[in-house]
Every structure is written in structure tokens, then in C-alpha cells.
């Protein structure tokens, strides 16, 4: 996989499955990512056309129960539009929105 090179549909499906699975595991443990972006999804080649995808950079990730009551002063780069509302709280749905925007990009 090179930058600017088309990605096969099966690789995209695998990437989406692996990253959603990783996000689900994080959310099950009560941890939100908080700032997903394309450069925070790493690909490691396993074999020709096969990759292991990983989520990285959890530096913006307090536990979910803390984030739910936290008024954020800085909006993550790919957060959902409802985060523009002053009383909005960040949650798992925001991570899913961010991951979807990574795939659109």
C-alpha cells in the first residue's frame, strides 16, 4: 500500500473490520480514542495484499466516564458536528464518526 495508490476493496473491508474491532475493544474497556485520523491507523504488511491495522496515539483518551462529563475546550479534528454545541459530551459515537471520516478521506 503506497500513498496515492488505489486500495483494493477487500483490503478496505479488512481495514474497516480490524479498526472497528479495535475500537469496540477499547470502548468495552471504557476507553475512548478521542482523536482518530488517517495517520493514527497504522498498517503492517503480513503477506502480499494482507495487512494488520492498528489504532495508535491514545494521548487524548481519558476513561469514558470522565469524558462524558468533560466540556472539551478543543474540538478533535474529525469530531461529529454536534460537538459544536457548548454542552456536548464526547462518547463512543464520536469515535465511530471519526473512524468513518477517516475511511471517507
Amino acid at each position: 500500500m503506497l500513498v496515492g495508490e488505489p486500495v483494493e476493496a477487500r483490503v478496505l473491508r479488512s481495514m474497516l473490520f480490524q479498526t472497528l474491532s479495535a475500537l469496540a475493544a477499547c470502548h468495552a474497556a471504557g476507553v475512548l480514542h478521542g482523536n482518530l485520523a488517517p495517520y493514527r491507523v497504522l498498517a503492517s504488511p503480513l503477506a502480499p495484499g494482507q495487512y494488520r491495522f492498528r489504532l495508535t496515539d491514545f494521548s487524548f483518551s481519558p476513561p469514558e466516564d470522565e469524558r462524558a462529563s468533560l466540556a472539551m475546550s478543543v474540538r478533535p479534528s474529525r469530531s461529529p458536528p454536534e460537538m459544536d454545541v457548548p454542552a456536548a459530551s464526547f462518547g463512543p459515537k464520536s469515535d465511530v464518526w471519526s473512524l468513518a471520516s477517516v475511511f471517507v478521506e
Side-chain angles (χ1 to χ4, degrees):
M1 244 174 16
L2 299 172
V3 174
E5 184 179 285
V7 179
E8 295 178 44
R10 67 179 179 78
V11 173
L12 281 175
R13 282 191 301 272
S14 175
M15 183 181 181
L16 184 56
F17 177 79
Q18 290 181 50
T19 53
L20 280 172
S21 296
L23 206 52
C26 292
H27 292 169
V31 176
L32 300 170
H33 187 282
N35 201 8
L36 283 165
Y39 50 88
R40 292 189 176 103
V41 178
L42 301 183
S44 303
L46 299 174
Q50 294 181 340
Y51 300 89
R52 173 180 293 132
F53 296 96
R54 298 178 181 159
L55 300 179
T56 64
D57 192 4
F58 284 79
S59 59
F60 197 66
S61 305
E64 184 177 345
D65 54 349
E66 274 184 42
R67 183 65 59 90
S69 62
L70 180 66
M72 294 176 60
S73 58
V74 176
R75 181 176 181 215
S77 58
R78 288 167 182 81
S79 61
E82 60 267 18
M83 290 303 296
D84 286 338
V85 177
S89 63
F90 197 86
K93 291 178 184 179
S94 302
D95 272 350
V96 173
W97 172 281
S98 297
L99 186 58
S101 73
V102 166
F103 275 86
V104 167
E105 194 173 320

